[in-house]
Amino acid sequence: MQNTSYIALSRQMTMARELELVANNIANAETTAYRGERMMFTDFLHDPDNAPQTHFARDVAVVRNLAQGRPIETGAPLDVMIDGDGYFQVETPFGPRYTRNGKFSTDADGRLITTTGDPVMAAGGGTITVPLNQGPIQVGTDGTVATDAGPLAQIALMRFDSDFQLRKTQSGLYATDAQPQEVEEPKLVQGMVEGSNVQPVVEMTRMMSLLRAFESAQKVIDTEHENQRRAVERILRQA
Amino acid sequence: MRSLSIAATGMVAQQTNVDVIANNIANMNTAGYKVRRPEFQDLLYQNQRRIGSASSDVGTIVPSGVQIGLGVRTASVYRITLQGPLEVTDNPLDLAIQGDGYFRVALPNGDDAYTRAGTFQLSPQGTIVTADGFTVQPQIVVPAEATEISINPTGEVQVKLAGQVDPQNVGQLELTIFPNEGGMEALGNNLFAQTPSSGEPANAVPGTAGYGTLLQGYVERSNVDPVKEITNLITAQRAYEMNSKVITASDEMYSTVTQLR
């Protein structure tokens, strides 16, 4: 008899969690290389003996939108955008991490680093050091970093069997236990960065429909409550 | 409900964004000013359902799990060091740097500071100083009887003295570059200082490989693009509004819950 309320409640709980995802997407609408997320739902089928089946809502996974973010032109020579598949590999104190944020700079030793201060890895391992007095830095579409004196190194671009093998950690870095492979035909663009792929209008619409669905689930609980109260009253009157 | 605090981090970030844009617009006509941009990063993620946990006895695993992010933060406000447009002033002591490098000036406390605002003047002693009166390094004294000052692209300062045919060399200007230009600390008044993240300064004559050249009679304007700034301002304002809408929606959800009978 309590199932109606519990089913509505399971839906409400998942919706509250989904709103948190929407909130995070909107908060990161201006975050470089951020990829929006949405919740994947399944219904949890409860099939007890001698009773009709009941469906409960359940959030099983967060699905990342893997669409390319909008390109933003910055003109900075050390800004590199990935056009298509792949991740930059960076060396952190906790091991290798992956990111699509190509907003690079150099550190005090001239090493190429990310905004988190971690060195960017070169193809085949090692970091990339840019000398001071060899003229402007050019980054080729294949990731080759060169100055007037010739090529220095190639920026590593890695891919995985499935992008969902990567889990998000903070600061736009992804961690994984999976083994990366080098992207065969890397495509990098110098002087641009990848913006967030969140579409604010879509997120706002989702948020409004979530809110209304939440309220309607509330209505179900209220109505169920009312029905039960009336049923009890009637039974008492009969008695 | 975490959505309230998540949206709050979004509003704080956009507030910073507007502050930075306001400062850029305010400095649109500051000589040698470099435009600034905030860089945002996503905050920690909380695992509701861990990636890779088993979803059945047979060993199937959850492909992506349920990870919920906790919002956004401003990671840094960096400078875009692109060359600003050059403006003719015809003032012989106005120097623009074409390419990389900074002028080195001595602060009153003895420390060195660096600047790209080459609007120089002469002190009562004839020393080349900045608009604030700080001496440009290496120190160059222009004799009082000089009738003409000429500074060539490689920084040689020559003066013409009354009654003399050949110009006389009075000094050599230098430029300074850093391994990480963006790591320098802004001191205000168009001045920057060395920090541990900028690396060690390297001085050389203008025109050396990796260094810019000088242009006499020109000033480097700020590299602020007003159209870009106004567009960014509108985007920031809308993003702020959307985050505040998230707060309203979460609040409405809360109030629905509190009306439970």
Side-chain angles (χ1 to χ4, degrees):
Chain A
M1 171 167 124
Q2 296 292 334
N3 272 341
T4 318
S5 300
Y6 285 139
I7 288 167
L9 192 63
S10 78
R11 182 76 186 113
Q12 277 189 319
M13 280 166 68
T14 57
M15 279 190 290
R17 268 206 289 276
E18 206 193 354
L19 183 70
E20 286 164 7
L21 275 190
V22 174
N24 195 46
N25 286 347
I26 291 176
N28 283 292
E30 297 295 315
T31 301
T32 317
Y34 176 84
R35 292 186 148 180
E37 294 169 321
R38 54 189 331 164
M39 197 73 90
M40 194 170 86
F41 293 102
T42 55
D43 47 355
F44 173 67
L45 212 56
H46 184 53
D47 193 7
D49 295 335
N50 310 319
Q53 287 182 348
T54 47
H55 298 255
F56 289 85
R58 190 168 172 225
D59 41 0
V60 285
V62 169
V63 185
R64 230 176 356 257
N65 178 5
L66 298 176
Q68 172 105 22
R70 60 182 188 279
I72 300 172
E73 207 205 319
T74 62
L78 290 180
D79 285 353
V80 184
M81 187 186 80
I82 304 172
D83 185 12
D85 207 11
Y87 295 86
F88 298 115
Q89 190 176 355
V90 297
E91 193 57 54
T92 72
F94 318 103
R97 292 283 184 274
Y98 302 88
T99 183
R100 281 182 67 89
N101 184 351
K103 186 134 228 11
F104 299 146
S105 55
T106 45
D107 67 2
D109 302 321
R111 277 186 315 175
L112 201 63
I113 54 167
T114 62
T115 47
T116 46
D118 303 309
V120 181
M121 298 300 283
T127 57
I128 301 165
T129 306
V130 184
L132 261 180
N133 47 6
Q134 289 180 2
I137 297 159
Q138 292 120 36
V139 182
T141 45
D142 62 344
T144 310
V145 183
T147 62
D148 289 347
L152 295 164
Q154 192 183 359
I155 298 173
L157 201 59
M158 298 302 194
R159 57 174 291 274
F160 297 85
D161 293 334
S162 159
D163 287 63
F164 295 107
Q165 289 174 320
L166 296 160
R167 62 177 190 279
K168 277 185 175 181
T169 65
Q170 59 190 334
S171 309
L173 297 176
Y174 296 90
T176 185
D177 299 323
Q179 211 45 45
Q181 297 127 36
E182 285 193 17
V183 175
E184 277 174 21
E185 282 180 36
K187 217 174 153 215
L188 300 177
V189 189
Q190 189 179 14
M192 290 193 133
V193 289
E194 183 180 343
S196 162
N197 72 353
V198 172
Q199 287 176 291
V201 178
V202 176
E203 300 298 326
M204 293 307 278
T205 324
R206 256 175 80 197
M207 188 177 78
M208 292 325 288
S209 66
L210 264 178
L211 187 57
R212 299 299 160 228
F214 192 88
E215 284 167 359
S216 77
Q218 192 65 53
K219 277 260 164 55
V220 171
I221 297 178
D222 284 349
T223 318
E224 174 65 10
H225 165 79
E226 193 60 30
N227 285 345
Q228 284 178 11
R229 197 177 57 82
R230 242 183 268 152
V232 171
E233 269 177 13
R234 245 177 236 172
I235 294 163
L236 286 178
R237 227 178 291 146
Q238 296 289 319
Chain B
M1 247 191 258
R2 279 167 294 206
S3 40
L4 277 174
S5 56
I6 294 170
T9 66
M11 286 175 85
V12 171
Q14 291 310 324
Q15 182 68 60
T16 312
N17 200 355
V18 172
D19 291 348
V20 173
I21 293 169
N23 192 47
N24 286 339
I25 293 177
N27 282 292
M28 221 162 69
N29 287 320
T30 306
Y33 177 83
K34 297 294 175 199
V35 75
R36 282 152 171 84
R37 290 256 170 277
E39 161 80 7
F40 300 116
Q41 286 177 347
D42 43 356
L43 273 174
L44 278 172
Y45 284 80
Q46 272 188 344
N47 279 306
Q48 296 251 324
R49 189 166 191 229
R50 196 162 281 282
I51 298 175
S53 57
S55 60
S56 75
D57 295 345
V58 205
T60 41
I61 55 163
V62 180
S64 56
V66 178
Q67 272 194 308
I68 291 177
L70 296 182
V72 64
R73 73 182 177 114
T74 317
S76 69
V77 178
Y78 60 92
R79 263 192 309 281
I80 295 179
T81 52
L82 283 182
Q83 174 97 40
L86 303 179
E87 192 186 35
V88 196
T89 59
D90 286 334
N91 179 0
L93 283 174
D94 279 349
L95 291 175
I97 304 171
Q98 260 190 313
D100 284 341
Y102 291 83
F103 295 111
R104 184 160 45 104
V105 300
L107 297 181
N109 65 5
D111 288 347
D112 276 344
Y114 304 88
T115 183
R116 274 182 78 91
T119 48
F120 298 144
Q121 287 160 36
L122 292 181
S123 73
Q125 290 78 35
T127 317
I128 297 181
V129 294
T130 66
D132 286 326
F134 303 148
T135 315
V136 178
Q137 300 290 315
Q139 190 176 330
I140 293 166
V141 180
V142 176
E145 57 273 25
T147 55
E148 211 176 277
I149 304 172
S150 76
I151 300 165
N152 69 12
T154 54
E156 227 174 7
V157 185
Q158 294 180 321
V159 295
K160 215 168 182 183
L161 299 176
Q164 287 186 9
V165 180
D166 290 331
Q168 199 185 330
N169 203 335
V170 290
Q172 168 74 54
L173 285 166
E174 282 182 355
L175 289 179
T176 308
I177 57 172
F178 290 87
N180 177 21
E181 217 180 325
M184 292 164 81
E185 185 193 351
L187 300 174
N189 302 331
N190 279 336
L191 296 174
F192 295 96
Q194 182 196 346
T195 67
S197 86
S198 71
E200 286 296 317
N203 304 319
V205 174
T208 316
Y211 292 79
T213 53
L214 300 186
L215 207 55
Q216 190 184 15
Y218 285 83
V219 167
E220 183 183 359
R221 305 252 49 121
S222 83
N223 65 355
V224 176
D225 177 356
V227 180
K228 230 178 213 170
E229 294 307 317
I230 299 296
T231 320
N232 285 342
L233 187 63
I234 295 171
T235 316
Q237 189 184 352
R238 295 296 166 234
Y240 188 86
E241 281 174 12
M242 277 189 283
N243 280 295
S244 79
K245 266 276 176 331
V246 174
I247 290 187
T248 318
S250 319
D251 179 48
E252 266 183 62
M253 269 200 190
Y254 259 136
S255 77
T256 315
V257 173
T258 48
Q259 279 161 20
L260 255 176
R261 274 173 292 174

